[in-house]
Amino acid sequence: MAKLFQAVRGMNDALPADTPLWAGVEATLRDILVSYGYQEIRLPLVEKTELFARSIGTVTDIVEKEMYTFNDRNGDSLALRPEGTAGCVRACIEQGLLRNPMQRLWYGGPMFRHERPQQGRYRQFHQIGVEAFGMAGPDIDAELICMTARCWQRLGVQDVALELNSLGTREARAAYRERLVGYLESRREDLDEDSRRRLHSNPLRVLDSKHPAMQAIIAEAPVLLDHLDLESRQHLDRLQEFLSAVGITYTLNTRLVRGLDYYSKTVFEWVTGRLGAQGTICAGGRYDGLVEQLGGAEIPAVGFAIGLERLIALLGSDGYTGLDQSPQAYLVMVGEQAERRGLILAETLRNAWPALHLQFNCSGGSFKTQLKRADRSRAQWALILGQEEIDSDTIAIKFLREAQEQTTLPMAALDDFLRDHLPQPTQ
RNA sequence: GUGGACGUAGCUCAGUCGGUAGAGCCCCGGAUUGUGGAUCCGGUGGUCGUGGGUUCGAGCCCCAUCGUCCACCCCA
């Protein structure tokens, strides 16, 4: 099939069959974040390229070859955001939000990375991210992890596990890094091509290598946790105590290093084995130096991001149906008089019942056709307005989803029916 | 950026030895009057991804190209 236009590679449509999943997940996550006292912040999709280079790290693949960059008309180099933290930190500094000693923020939306698409990885993908500023202790790390655990619990996410590690302070990490490079240099002959390349650009990531031949070398490598500074060690111990106290199980994964330069101390990931090679549905960590690095004060921070495509794929395979947005009622009209009165009735009902989801039959059609449309709209009831109903000032209600006899009500009784049958507002 | 697999109807796929295309689902219509879903009947819909080549003849063989998927790299 020759197609005139196709979507850009790696940028997908979410069709009506999928949007209830998206709406359900977004609503649930949002409710939980808000219930923990986090405030929404909305950020641009585009920032100066330099912002990402300075925060994510110039030698990371994201900045080196995965960013969508372009020149603005005035010559500025701009980029579609590849992640959310940098823009959030920029906004907080620029707008003075960090004059408040503590900030709990969340945001959501599309991110862009020019990678080869595969399962769970797309060029436009969606995250919900959380950032907490001004809190240096492990208690906020624990709060964030509790919050994510609650998200999985409420959504019914199956088969995810928490992995935890500490990268130490910037200084401890630098010292460890030298020790690791030394070790890897001594085994240089045994390294595969990728690892050799990373040896100097990003040596910690060698620990993450999936190459089978590398596993023995990695197993003998110096362990980051053994070289933590005292402060980071205590931070991690305390975090582990918090997690145990609330019954959150995890595994310490000393190879968990995260790709972005700005992390320090706590890093964590929620992973599943059910999404192929891209099994991380949520990842985060502490980035105590970033605010200062971007020109702000010395303010500690910690955050995480949830990959919505991955989360939704996992939920969808477990039969999660999300937020049902189909109408409750479908208005069927037969005859000229009914058609004339139908629109008035529909708008009157909408005035009186703002929560009512009512679909109005358009383009006529036989009675049978209209009922067929009512059925396919997934409405609960067909409201039937025909000549008989007009003559007797009544309306018929046919139940489309339950074994209940069709009834005819006086038009004046329709409000009572809706009062009894519409779902109560939850608040 | 690298590798492998695969491109036939909106979707999932069949298509024999090379003889110019089929099924199921979906959608639309019908099966006595104003009653959806189940069943039955009928219908719409395809330059076989695209462009070349071989051949009397190509969905099928060859080349190129584009695309999709999966994996590597990287990462949510």
Side-chain angles (χ1 to χ4, degrees):
Chain A
M1 41 204 146
K3 281 176 180 151
L4 240 49
F5 290 109
Q6 290 182 299
V8 174
R9 173 183 290 210
M11 306 205 180
N12 302 121
D13 306 306
L15 302 180
D18 299 319
T19 46
L21 296 182
W22 284 84
V25 166
E26 287 165 350
T28 300
L29 294 180
R30 184 194 148 282
D31 285 352
I32 291 173
L33 303 186
V34 168
S35 78
Y36 275 73
Y38 287 72
Q39 295 179 292
E40 184 177 10
I41 184 168
R42 300 208 179 196
L43 302 161
L45 271 55
V46 175
E47 298 275 359
K48 299 269 178 65
T49 304
E50 180 65 14
L51 174 69
F52 299 118
R54 287 264 289 277
S55 57
I56 298 168
T58 42
V59 297
T60 58
D61 277 19
I62 293 178
V63 168
E64 268 184 355
K65 51 190 192 191
E66 293 175 0
M67 275 207 294
Y68 282 90
T69 58
F70 59 97
N71 288 325
D72 198 359
R73 284 169 182 268
N74 63 8
D76 288 345
S77 179
L78 306 182
L80 266 41
R81 62 183 186 188
E83 56 101 46
T85 299
C88 185
V89 170
R90 189 230 83 225
C92 286
I93 297 170
E94 182 179 354
Q95 306 298 335
L97 264 53
L98 298 181
R99 295 183 61 79
N100 185 325
M102 295 180 203
Q103 282 287 356
R104 286 178 166 89
L105 301 171
W106 74 272
Y107 54 83
M111 309 292 166
F112 303 85
R113 290 182 199 170
H114 190 100
E115 303 175 275
R116 195 74 163 261
Q118 71 185 73
Q119 187 182 158
R121 195 178 69 187
Y122 309 99
R123 288 185 174 180
Q124 176 176 325
F125 62 103
H126 298 78
Q127 291 185 337
I128 285 189
V130 168
E131 316 289 353
F133 296 98
M135 291 160 271
D139 48 358
I140 183 65
D141 301 11
E143 173 178 300
L144 291 184
I145 290 173
C146 287
M147 196 158 68
T148 54
R150 186 174 301 278
C151 290
W152 316 149
Q153 186 261 326
R154 187 157 323 162
L155 285 166
V157 175
Q158 309 279 319
D159 304 317
V160 290
L162 176 63
E163 299 196 349
L164 188 66
N165 194 20
S166 176
L167 298 180
T169 58
R170 176 171 296 266
E171 298 73 35
R173 191 171 157 196
Y176 169 76
R177 180 180 159 130
E178 267 184 47
R179 187 180 284 263
L180 178 65
V181 170
Y183 165 79
L184 292 174
E185 288 279 13
S186 74
R187 308 276 309 253
R188 185 172 242 287
E189 297 311 309
D190 305 324
L191 300 182
D192 70 315
E193 198 182 326
D194 284 324
S195 297
R196 222 171 283 180
R197 177 174 51 75
R198 282 184 296 211
L199 184 52
H200 293 290
S201 62
N202 201 346
L204 295 204
R205 289 213 60 87
V206 174
L207 300 175
D208 242 0
S209 175
K210 292 177 191 167
H211 198 105
M214 292 298 299
Q215 299 312 307
I217 298 170
I218 294 167
E220 291 171 28
V223 175
L224 178 54
L225 272 182
D226 296 340
H227 297 84
L228 280 190
D229 52 288
L230 181 65
E231 183 192 344
S232 298
R233 181 74 246 180
Q234 287 173 343
H235 188 104
L236 179 62
D237 289 344
R238 197 88 182 93
L239 174 57
Q240 290 182 263
E241 286 170 28
F242 279 130
L243 293 179
S244 301
V246 290
I248 291 176
T249 57
Y250 58 89
T251 56
L252 272 187
N253 177 0
T254 59
R255 298 181 187 182
L256 179 64
V257 295
R258 315 291 301 102
L260 283 48
D261 265 8
Y262 51 62
Y263 286 110
S264 58
K265 291 187 182 164
T266 309
V267 291
F268 66 92
E269 287 190 6
W270 286 94
V271 297
T272 178
R274 284 175 39 202
L275 292 177
Q278 311 297 331
T280 303
I281 62 165
C282 171
R286 181 162 281 281
Y287 48 98
D288 287 344
L290 183 62
V291 176
E292 192 180 13
Q293 192 180 320
L294 292 180
E298 210 177 303
I299 290 173
V302 56
F304 65 80
I306 297 171
L308 292 183
E309 279 83 357
R310 293 178 184 179
L311 177 57
I312 286 166
L314 191 57
L315 283 167
S317 68
D318 282 332
Y320 174 79
T321 52
L323 190 68
D324 184 10
Q325 297 174 107
S326 50
Q328 291 129 2
Y330 187 101
L331 181 57
V332 169
M333 293 152 287
V334 189
E336 248 182 71
Q337 266 189 295
E339 280 176 19
R340 214 172 306 133
R341 292 220 195 143
L343 185 61
I344 299 169
L345 173 63
E347 288 302 305
T348 304
L349 289 175
R350 289 174 170 134
N351 288 339
W353 301 95
L356 172 66
H357 295 189
L358 171 66
Q359 191 163 322
F360 176 73
N361 184 76
C362 286
S363 297
S366 68
F367 190 66
K368 198 186 191 68
T369 296
Q370 293 191 47
L371 274 179
K372 211 174 257 183
R373 290 176 189 153
D375 183 49
R376 283 192 317 158
S377 79
R378 302 169 42 99
Q380 297 295 307
W381 328 294
L383 305 183
I384 300 170
L385 196 59
Q387 195 57 51
E388 289 174 19
E389 287 78 14
I390 295 286
D391 291 342
S392 56
D393 195 31
T394 58
I395 187 155
I397 299 173
K398 183 181 176 67
F399 296 88
L400 300 172
R401 309 291 154 203
E402 49 195 316
Q404 193 170 151
E405 284 288 303
Q406 177 174 330
T407 62
T408 299
L409 301 175
M411 191 60 89
L414 187 52
D415 280 329
D416 293 331
F417 174 86
L418 292 173
R419 185 172 301 118
D420 293 343
H421 289 82
L422 284 181
Q424 296 299 311
T426 42
Q427 200 104 41

